[in-house]
Structures are given as structure tokens and as C-alpha cells.
């Protein structure tokens, strides 16, 4: 394994992580909710009364984040390598998989690990390992 | 009040994702590519988030109500079952193919990038498919 030191951004990534942690803490302590994005978004697709507004507001906040960021400085790079076909397949897998597995990087990853849940740790290990394996297959076997 | 706080929290969450580098699929794939030139940055995003999260959950475990008076229920599911395993595998494959997980995809949607729009639509189709498989067409 070689580390790409030029791409490594320890301080902004650590700082971004702390900000995410603060958001998780705020949603938990103010709203009493787990900041699991697939769960919040998925819940919008089966609305129950009294449960819709906070979900929609949270999602809107995420979508609007880049507009606020732009007021402070230039947006960081956003380079999407995959073509439209791959993105469509990947999107369906992410949507279906996170709902079936009850969580994604935020719900199982950040929140689950933070509350020391074994179930979430297993889920996180599985999707990380599968992510590593997928990139290996795509980059080093298929596109070699 | 709860909606307003959710909106602000969503914004802060999104700013954290942008700052941390999670919204750039190229950077995410650089993290997932252990055999290439590995970029360990995103491990620090997770580390930073969890270190704050641990404190928040430790505090929340002793409460049944949030500071704004909403009920505070922590997840109770503990079992590692087929759904968890298969779902997480499917998610991992999709994440590895595109470099997007749900949060960063929503933030990227806000930038108007056409590819992010397509990814989010496909993700919503996947989530809707789950509802149909679970509950039938309604």
C-alpha cells in the first residue's frame, strides 16, 4: 500500500468530521433523532403525520449547504468519474441497500459507532469492506 | 421549532461533509482504493465525527426527552440478520461504484451537478423500491 500524501487533507477532514459530529449531537439532543441520512430521507417516502416536516427540513438543509458554503469561499472540487449508467445502477443499490440494511455511513457509521452498537459496527465493516472490494475490482481488474 | 432546528442541523451536517471532502466522489474513491495511491483523509472524517458523537450519545443515554421536549428514543435493534448483511453489501457496492453515499449525494445535488441529480433520482428509486417490496404498491 502506498499513501498519496498530496491528496491527504488531515486538518480539513478532521475538522469536517468534528462539524458532522456536532450536527449529529445537535439532532440527537435537540430533536431526539438519529442523524442517519438514508433513514431520514427514506422516511419521507412513507410519510406519517407529524413526521414529515423535520425530515424535509433536514434534507433541505443538506441540499442547501453548498449555497451557504459558497458565500464563505469557493466550493471544493466535486469530480464525478462514473458515467450515467454506472451512477444509475449505483444509486439504486445505495437506495435499496441502505433501506434494507437500515443505515448508511451516517446512521451505522457515525451514529452507530458513537453509541458502540455491535449491529452498526458489523454493518459498517461490511459496507466498508464491500466498498474497498468494489473499487479494487473496478480499478485494478476491470479497468486495468 | 423542531423543523427549524432540523433545517439548521442539516445545513451544518452538509457544511461538515463539504469541509471534510466527503462530497467529492473522486476523493471518496481515493479512500476506498487501498491498492492505488491511498488517501486516508476520510478515516479522519469518521474519527472526528465519532469522537464528538460518543460524548453526545453518552449524554443522551440518560435522557428520555430532548432539550426541545421531543421524545428521545435510541435504536433498540441489536440483531445481525440477513437484511442487515445483504443491505450493507448492496450499499457498499453502490458506494464503491459511484463514490457517493446518501448525505454527500444530497449536498452534491444542491450544486446542480447533472450527474449528482441522476444519482439522487436513482437512489430515491431504490428507496421507493424498498417500500414497494416491503409494503406492496400503495
Amino acid at each position: 500500500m502506498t499513501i498519496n500524501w498530496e491528496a491527504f487533507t488531515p486538518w480539513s477532514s478532521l475538522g469536517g468530521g468534528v462539524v458532522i459530529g456536532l450536527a449529529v449531537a445537535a439532532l440527537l439532543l435537540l430533536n431526539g433523532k438519529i442523524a442517519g441520512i438514508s433513514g431520514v430521507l427514506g422516511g419521507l417516502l412513507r410519510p406519517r403525520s407529524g413526521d414529515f416536516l423535520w425530515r424535509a427540513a433536514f434534507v433541505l438543509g443538506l441540499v442547501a449547504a453548498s449555497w451557504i458554503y459558497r458565500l464563505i469561499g469557493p466550493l471544493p472540487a466535486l469530480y464525478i468519474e462514473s458515467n450515467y449508467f454506472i451512477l444509475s445502477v449505483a444509486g439504486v443499490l445505495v437506495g435499496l441497500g441502505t433501506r434494507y440494511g437500515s443505515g448508511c455511513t451516517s446512521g451505522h457509521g457515525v451514529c452507530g459507532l458513537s453509541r458502540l452498537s455491535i449491529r452498526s459496527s458489523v454493518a459498517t465493516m461490511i459496507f466498508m469492506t464491500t466498498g474497498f472490494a468494489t473499487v479494487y475490482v473496478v480499478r485494478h481488474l476491470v479497468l486495468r | 421549532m423542531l423543523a427549524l432546528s432540523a433545517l439548521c442541523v442539516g445545513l451544518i451536517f452538509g457544511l461538515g461533509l463539504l469541509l471534510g471532502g466527503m462530497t467529492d466522489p473522486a476523493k471518496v474513491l481515493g479512500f476506498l482504493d487501498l491498492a492505488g495511491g491511498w488517501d486516508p483523509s476520510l478515516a479522519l472524517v469518521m474519527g472526528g465525527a465519532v469522537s464528538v458523537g460518543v460524548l453526545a450519545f453518552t449524554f443522551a443515554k440518560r435522557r428520555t426527552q430532548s432539550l426541545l421536549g421531543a421524545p428521545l428514543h435510541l435504536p433498540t435493534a441489536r440483531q445481525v440478520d440477513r437484511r442487515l448483511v445483504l443491505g450493507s453489501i448492496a450499499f457498499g457496492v453502490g458506494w464503491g461504484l459511484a463514490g457517493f453515499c446518501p448525505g454527500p449525494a444530497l449536498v452534491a445535488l444542491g450544486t446542480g451537478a447533472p450527474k449528482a441529480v441522476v444519482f439522487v433520482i436513482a437512489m430515491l428509486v431504490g428507496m421507493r423500491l424498498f417500500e414497494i417490496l416491503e409494503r406492496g404498491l400503495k
Side-chain angles (χ1 to χ4, degrees), chain A residues 121-139:
Chain A
S121 312
V122 170
T124 305
M125 261 184 294
I126 292 174
F127 65 68
M128 296 274 301
T129 310
T130 324
F132 288 135
T134 304
V135 172
Y136 183 79
V137 170
V138 171
R139 287 198 173 174

Side-chain angles (χ1 to χ4, degrees), chain B residues 7 11 17 20 33 41-43 52 64 70 84 87-88 119 123 125 129:
Chain B
L7 175 71
L11 267 177
L17 289 171
D33 188 6
S41 307
L42 300 192
V52 178
T64 53
L84 184 88
S88 299
F119 181 87
M123 180 169 80
V125 168
L129 204 56

Side-chain angles (χ1 to χ4, degrees), chain B:
Chain B
M1 196 60 200
L2 288 171
L4 183 66
S5 103
L7 175 71
C8 296
V9 172
L11 267 177
I12 296 169
F13 201 118
L15 292 175
L17 289 171
L18 281 162
L19 180 64
M22 290 291 297
T23 50
D24 181 10
K27 191 161 181 72
V28 173
L29 294 178
F31 169 72
L32 291 176
D33 188 6
L34 291 175
W38 189 50
D39 175 2
S41 307
L42 300 192
L44 291 172
V45 177
M46 188 59 100
V50 170
S51 53
V52 178
V54 166
L55 299 175
F57 279 95
T58 306
F59 180 69
K61 269 175 194 159
R62 292 192 297 248
R63 302 183 61 98
T64 53
Q65 241 192 3
S66 79
L67 299 174
L68 293 179
L72 197 164
H73 300 298
L74 294 177
T76 50
R78 302 179 73 91
Q79 74 285 11
V80 174
D81 53 13
R82 228 169 68 122
R83 296 167 67 95
L84 184 88
V85 173
L86 293 180
S88 299
I89 289 174
F91 167 43
V93 172
W95 192 33
L97 283 177
F100 270 138
C101 53
L106 289 171
V107 176
L109 174 73
T111 69
K115 284 184 167 179
V117 177
V118 168
F119 181 87
V120 170
I121 291 172
M123 180 169 80
L124 289 170
V125 168
M127 289 181 168
R128 183 69 200 135
L129 204 56
F130 166 80
E131 297 294 333
I132 293 170
L133 291 173
E134 287 293 287
R135 274 163 266 272
L137 281 167
K138 260 190 242 166

Side-chain angles (χ1 to χ4, degrees), chain A residues 59-75:
Chain A
V59 170
L60 178 66
L62 279 171
V63 173
S66 63
W67 313 340
I68 304 293
Y69 197 99
R70 243 190 226 126
L71 300 177
I72 308 161
L75 274 185

Side-chain angles (χ1 to χ4, degrees), chain A:
Chain A
M1 181 195 290
T2 51
I3 292 186
N4 182 350
W5 293 108
E6 277 167 39
F8 188 42
T9 51
W11 297 112
S12 59
S13 286
L14 190 62
V18 168
V19 173
I20 292 169
L22 291 173
V24 164
L27 197 71
L28 179 66
L29 299 174
L30 295 176
N31 290 52
K33 301 288 184 191
I34 299 285
I37 293 172
S38 57
V40 176
L41 184 63
L44 281 177
L45 300 179
R46 80 176 123 145
R48 288 175 295 161
S49 66
D51 190 54
F52 186 82
L53 197 59
W54 78 271
R55 290 176 188 273
F58 181 82
V59 170
L60 178 66
L62 279 171
V63 173
S66 63
W67 313 340
I68 304 293
Y69 197 99
R70 243 190 226 126
L71 300 177
I72 308 161
L75 274 185
L78 199 156
Y79 180 66
I80 308 171
E81 208 168 300
S82 320
N83 64 34
Y84 283 98
F85 174 72
I86 297 288
L87 283 169
S88 307
V89 174
V92 171
L93 283 171
V94 169
L96 195 58
T98 52
R99 293 301 284 145
Y100 234 85
S102 317
C104 58
T105 337
S106 51
H108 280 315
V110 177
C111 296
L113 296 187
S114 292
R115 56 187 187 86
L116 315 174
S117 154
I118 294 177
R119 172 176 150 89
S120 286
S121 312
V122 170
T124 305
M125 261 184 294
I126 292 174
F127 65 68
M128 296 274 301
T129 310
T130 324
F132 288 135
T134 304
V135 172
Y136 183 79
V137 170
V138 171
R139 287 198 173 174
H140 302 283
L141 298 180
V142 178
L143 297 180
R144 194 154 56 103

